Amino acid sequence: MGRRARALLHAPAPLLLLLALAAAAAAVAVASGPPFSCGAPSSAAFCNPRLPIEQRADDLVSRLTLEEKISQLGDQSPAVDRLGVPAYKWWSEALHGVSNAGRGIHLDGPLRAATSFPQVILTAASFNPHLWYRIGQVIGTEARAVYNNGQAEGLTFWAPNINVFRDPRWGRGQETPGEDPTVTGKYAAVFVRGVQGYALAGAINSTDLEASACCKHFTAYDLENWKGVTRYAFDAKVVTAQDLADTYNPPFRSCVEDGGASGIMCSYNRVNGVPTCADYNLLSKTARGDWRFYGYITSDCDAVSIIHDVQGYAKTAEDAVADVLKAGMDVNCGSYVQEHGLSAIQQGKITEQDINRALHNLFAVRMRLGLFNGNPKYNRYGNIGPDQVCTQEHQNLALEAAQHGVVLLKNDANALPLSKSQVSSIAVIGHNANDATRLLGNYFGPPCISVTPLQVLQGYVKDTRFLAGCNSAACNVSSIGEAAQLASSVDYVVLFMGLDQDQEREEVDRLELSLPGMQENLINTVANAAKKPVILVLLCGGPVDVTFAKYNPKIGAILWAGYPGEAGGIAIAQVLFGEHNPGGRLPVTWYPKEFTSVPMTDMRMRADPSTGYPGRTYRFYRGNTVYKFGYGLSYSKYSHHFVANGTKLPSLSSIDGLKAMATAAAGTVSYDVEEIGTETCDKLKFPALVRVQNHGPMDGRHPVLLFLRWPNGAADGGRPASQLIGFQSLHLKSMQTVHVEFEVSPCKHFSRATEDGKKVIDHGSHFMMVGDDEFEMSFTP
């Protein structure tokens, strides 16, 4: 019997009925067939699947009139009936499950739901790339199933969001894998591979896509609306080459080079004065040139119009159209290019060749999706039907993702886990306890099941009593006295507090890091009234300052559960009652509330002691924290030790010419990674072997995080204080010992970015760290 099945044994009859109805809703009839081209016999080259994609795309573009060409440059591309080309909608969403938030997916027919995984920030807390890949696979499968069922007008999904979670107030930080570029880049690569139908590792078949993933928002985008500064008008004026090289751009490079992403979205903001969608160096030189990006580039919605209408960067609408097309953008989310493209040509601002270039990229992606290969049901993904949406396997994976993401932040005197046999009554207090939608975050679709934490806990404890306590996350109306009275009348109290989408979401940044309104007063009052130390469950994407709870002895345990998705209520209950051993780790730093004195608009990553600027993220922040990046407790205890004879840097003296590459600057001797070259960098790779033991009474999944630090920290050359260089998720039985091997590449992992953005390896000692153990390596040719 699976863990989910065991959990459901505790569910009351109404909950079981609800889940049964959800399962019945997934057993759907087939709708009309999907739109496609080349169904009838044709001699046109674009209909010949045996020809190269590039030749087919060029052939189709050559058959279009100028007016037809311009019509295809918006996210809603009309049909070209005379060529048998159906309409296409580029905008669909699948951030953590197939969603109907965009224009291309319609979950209002026979298929009315899709698997809703945890919001990305919680999934990232598992530090489990294989889990991330499997989620991508499910999304790709369900996306194709919706399309095959005739409920989609496109297969291009604008996910993942891989902007680094730079500032804790950012409303969309919840959509990202966190603040670390290594984690974010790895998430991007494996999620994209899963969605697009690629293997987890190895070569990529770039001509065949199950669905298309899009890396967004390129680049240095992480502000919505802060004190009147909006994302539409924001100019990220001081983004240094150093910060671009080691923070903002690496996730996108990994998404392209390692994941094989077929889409990129340029962002609303300007970077150093230039709108990203109009930046040739960014889109064409960097993405297509340096990274060999193969796919299409879309604007964010209405981003082309704001270049003229809001930012004033372009003097006319036609100039805005010319700026983006010549920079390398291919399709505009919106109708601005469609409306002004012809006049831009007539005014000589663009040429037909500029349009042809964009259309080639657009039709090539649609052909890679198999949409010009005749009836899809006879092609590779044609057997994916509606019965592959909301399957039990997919729902089990949603539960697994929630389980592995939950982070135990505090557990004084083993307040958790609870024992069912010893809990005769329990109070569930909080606005987040009895609303299933609040578990989903944003960009969600209708979930396969809908169950609240309260409903699940009612299945564990017969005498479960509920009080919302607050009117909403804003908590400007509360019933503190009633909550205290309830808390004093039961054996145990679980508080479900935190944020919701009114506090943090797209277009909404926070101004404070404290819990909103009267939440803190409610929590403390309830804790004082309760018979035993209370348990606090935080549902939120961004971090909150809960210092008061961390040090309050009457609050026995704190769980962070993000926005845990459709199965989140089940996962939380399983952690509370010891049916799952929590192993999640924070993917972001939790800052104190005083951090809000730092302007969100300051894009610098590195601290500046001369002005009191504290820096950002664990890599550069110089200040106090509430909880550190990578922090998380468990019901077990784990130890980590390097195995000395299994961790050895190759002899550098045997590598010809390495010593001669050394250069000295500011008293530091270093080696330029580009000059070292790929062949030598491969020779420098070595294994790092770590022994990990579970000393506790419970089996558990445990992320092993491998960091690097330099002797002088960030004081020399803008180095990070430390840098995550590898991570693996292990399942260890009670008292089990395993050895885990990391491949370490000095060129990648020992290097740092200089002020001009070059990667260099410093001469001398480098320290690898795992848990409390440290291993010194000397890079001394």
Side-chain angles (χ1 to χ4, degrees):
M1 181 182 294
R3 289 185 295 253
R4 180 176 184 277
R6 288 198 299 271
L8 295 182
L9 286 179
H10 302 290
L15 176 57
L16 290 174
L17 176 60
L18 177 131
L19 296 177
L21 290 173
V28 297
V30 178
S32 59
F36 60 90
S37 294
C38 306
S42 174
S43 60
F46 73 83
C47 283
N48 186 348
R50 293 183 294 275
L51 294 176
I53 292 288
E54 308 306 310
Q55 181 179 343
R56 297 174 67 194
D58 284 342
D59 177 71
L60 178 53
V61 172
S62 72
R63 296 171 184 266
L64 299 173
T65 66
L66 178 59
E67 289 74 15
E68 288 169 342
K69 289 178 180 180
I70 293 171
S71 75
Q72 298 295 305
L73 297 177
D75 70 284
Q76 298 187 81
S77 301
V80 183
D81 292 327
R82 67 182 185 85
L83 297 177
V85 176
Y88 188 83
K89 293 184 178 178
W90 288 91
W91 178 16
S92 295
E93 299 286 354
L95 180 67
H96 53 107
V98 175
S99 167
N100 50 7
R103 294 185 172 122
I105 296 293
H106 309 291
L107 293 175
D108 56 358
L111 276 174
R112 294 183 174 271
T115 307
S116 189
F117 293 96
Q119 182 61 289
V120 177
I121 193 69
L122 185 73
T123 299
S126 69
F127 286 85
N128 187 345
H130 187 246
L131 173 66
W132 304 339
Y133 173 72
R134 289 157 60 208
I135 290 172
Q137 283 185 304
V138 168
I139 291 173
T141 296
E142 294 198 350
R144 182 62 77 156
V146 172
Y147 178 81
N148 287 348
N149 208 49
Q151 293 181 234
E153 297 175 84
L155 277 168
T156 39
F157 293 86
W158 292 352
N161 180 342
I162 55 171
N163 296 111
V164 167
F165 197 168
R166 174 189 63 97
D167 191 290
R169 293 162 286 186
W170 184 31
R172 299 186 73 176
Q174 59 178 294
E175 301 176 25
T176 76
E179 71 181 35
D180 180 77
T182 297
V183 173
T184 304
K186 186 65 174 181
Y187 179 90
V190 299
F191 177 84
V192 165
R193 279 175 171 262
V195 169
Q196 296 191 165
Y198 300 156
L200 177 58
I204 290 173
N205 176 14
S206 60
T207 63
D208 193 6
L209 296 169
E210 182 173 14
S212 170
C214 174
C215 308
K216 66 183 187 185
H217 312 81
F218 193 38
T219 186
Y221 167 83
D222 49 16
L223 179 146
E224 301 301 305
N225 189 343
W226 179 78
K227 295 187 175 181
V229 179
T230 71
R231 58 183 179 166
Y232 308 114
F234 180 51
D235 184 0
K237 291 181 180 178
V238 185
V239 179
T240 66
Q242 191 175 36
D243 287 342
L244 279 173
D246 71 2
T247 299
Y248 294 115
N249 281 354
F252 290 93
R253 182 170 190 165
S254 179
C255 198
V256 170
E257 292 186 339
D258 301 328
S262 53
I264 289 176
M265 176 185 286
C266 49
S267 54
Y268 288 116
N269 57 292
R270 287 166 285 173
V271 174
N272 299 325
V274 181
T276 63
C277 292
D279 192 335
Y280 177 86
N281 286 331
L282 191 65
L283 304 186
S284 293
K285 185 175 182 297
T286 300
R288 291 199 188 276
D290 297 343
W291 302 344
R292 304 298 181 196
F293 171 63
Y294 178 49
Y296 76 101
I297 298 176
T298 180
S299 76
D300 208 333
C301 291
D302 297 320
V304 178
S305 66
I306 70 167
I307 291 174
H308 169 251
D309 299 344
V310 178
Q311 297 171 353
Y313 180 84
K315 293 181 179 180
T316 68
E318 289 76 17
D319 286 330
V321 170
D323 287 341
V324 297
L325 289 178
K326 289 183 177 296
M329 192 201 79
D330 301 311
V331 65
N332 167 212
C333 180
S335 58
Y336 203 74
V337 175
Q338 292 164 316
E339 293 168 3
H340 300 287
L342 183 58
S343 56
I345 280 191
Q346 291 169 342
Q347 295 175 23
K349 300 292 177 70
I350 59 173
T351 67
E352 191 166 354
Q353 183 54 41
D354 294 323
I355 294 174
N356 291 347
R357 178 207 57 77
L359 292 178
H360 173 93
N361 294 328
L362 296 175
F363 283 117
V365 168
R366 291 171 65 174
M367 289 173 179
R368 292 165 64 190
L369 286 163
L371 306 186
F372 286 79
N373 293 349
N375 194 328
K377 73 178 183 180
Y378 301 120
N379 296 326
R380 178 176 178 183
Y381 299 110
N383 63 345
I384 299 177
D387 60 336
Q388 295 191 48
V389 177
C390 287
T391 66
Q392 190 62 57
E393 180 183 1
H394 294 179
Q395 294 184 60
N396 288 347
L397 185 61
L399 174 60
E400 181 183 339
Q403 290 171 331
H404 293 167
V406 171
V407 180
L408 180 62
L409 296 173
K410 177 181 179 179
N411 195 23
D412 286 358
N414 294 321
L416 291 177
L418 301 175
S419 170
K420 284 177 288 186
S421 62
Q422 297 178 10
V423 181
S424 59
S425 61
I426 190 169
V428 177
I429 299 174
H431 57 280
N432 278 334
N434 197 32
D435 187 336
T437 301
R438 287 185 176 141
L439 303 178
L440 304 180
N442 66 356
Y443 280 102
F444 62 87
C448 306
I449 63 170
S450 184
V451 55
T452 70
L454 174 63
Q455 288 173 310
V456 181
L457 288 173
Q458 287 170 334
Y460 280 79
V461 181
K462 184 176 182 180
D463 186 4
T464 296
R465 310 173 198 177
F466 170 68
L467 181 71
C470 291
N471 60 328
S472 66
C475 201
N476 47 27
V477 177
S478 67
S479 50
I480 294 177
E482 189 178 352
Q485 184 177 1
L486 174 60
S488 66
S489 68
V490 296
D491 291 339
Y492 290 89
V493 177
V494 181
L495 291 132
F496 285 85
M497 310 303 288
L499 307 176
D500 62 18
Q501 298 306 300
D502 290 332
Q503 305 294 318
E504 53 173 355
R505 69 175 190 277
E506 189 169 7
E507 297 193 346
V508 177
D509 293 320
R510 287 185 289 156
L511 295 177
E512 305 294 337
L513 294 180
S514 303
L515 287 171
M518 292 180 273
Q519 284 195 47
E520 183 174 331
N521 188 14
L522 172 67
I523 294 167
N524 284 329
T525 302
V526 166
N528 287 332
K531 297 176 182 177
K532 298 181 177 67
V534 302
I535 297 152
L536 175 60
V537 179
L538 296 170
L539 295 179
C540 54
V544 288
D545 184 347
V546 288
T547 302
F548 76 94
K550 180 179 180 180
Y551 295 111
N552 185 343
K554 294 188 177 182
I555 298 174
I558 305 174
L559 286 177
W560 174 67
Y563 296 115
E566 65 174 41
I570 300 170
I572 292 168
Q574 289 181 330
V575 170
L576 293 176
F577 283 91
E579 294 178 1
H580 179 78
N581 189 357
R585 302 286 194 92
L586 290 179
V588 289
T589 300
W590 282 34
Y591 299 85
K593 58 188 177 183
E594 292 77 16
F595 187 84
T596 56
S597 64
V598 178
M600 272 193 79
T601 50
D602 195 323
M603 301 297 292
R604 291 175 296 166
M605 296 301 301
R606 288 156 170 83
D608 182 358
S610 67
T611 62
Y613 182 69
R616 295 178 181 275
T617 77
Y618 80 96
R619 298 162 63 231
F620 303 108
Y621 175 61
R622 302 294 174 266
N624 297 324
T625 62
V626 179
Y627 291 108
K628 294 182 178 181
F629 171 88
Y631 178 80
L633 303 174
S634 169
Y635 297 151
S636 292
K637 299 292 184 183
Y638 298 91
S639 63
H640 315 79
H641 298 282
F642 286 102
V643 179
N645 60 7
T647 305
K648 187 176 182 181
L649 185 69
S651 173
L652 302 183
S653 60
S654 63
I655 300 178
D656 294 337
L658 192 56
K659 185 178 293 186
M661 295 177 185
T663 59
T668 301
V669 177
S670 60
Y671 306 83
D672 189 310
V673 170
E674 188 174 349
E675 289 186 15
I676 292 174
T678 303
E679 183 178 347
T680 301
C681 282
D682 287 341
K683 292 179 181 178
L684 292 173
K685 293 178 181 178
F686 66 93
L689 193 63
V690 178
R691 184 176 71 252
V692 185
Q693 184 173 0
N694 179 355
H695 298 274
M698 294 181 67
D699 299 353
R701 182 159 287 279
H702 177 64
V704 181
L705 310 185
L706 180 66
F707 291 88
L708 180 82
R709 75 168 180 87
W710 289 263
N712 298 322
D716 188 5
R719 298 166 173 165
S722 63
Q723 170 65 60
L724 184 69
I725 62 174
F727 54 95
Q728 295 187 38
S729 176
L730 309 176
H731 185 271
L732 287 88
K733 295 180 179 180
S734 174
M735 306 309 293
Q736 183 182 8
T737 299
V738 300
H739 289 81
V740 57
E741 183 175 290
F742 294 89
E743 182 183 73
V744 180
S745 169
C747 289
K748 180 179 181 181
H749 300 132
F750 287 12
S751 63
R752 61 177 176 87
T754 61
E755 290 185 1
D756 60 3
K758 290 185 177 180
K759 289 297 185 77
V760 299
I761 305 174
D762 290 332
H763 178 94
S765 293
H766 298 71
F767 296 86
M768 294 189 301
M769 304 180 297
V770 60
D772 296 325
D773 200 16
E774 192 170 82
F775 195 91
E776 182 176 3
M777 311 292 294
S778 181
F779 195 86
T780 310

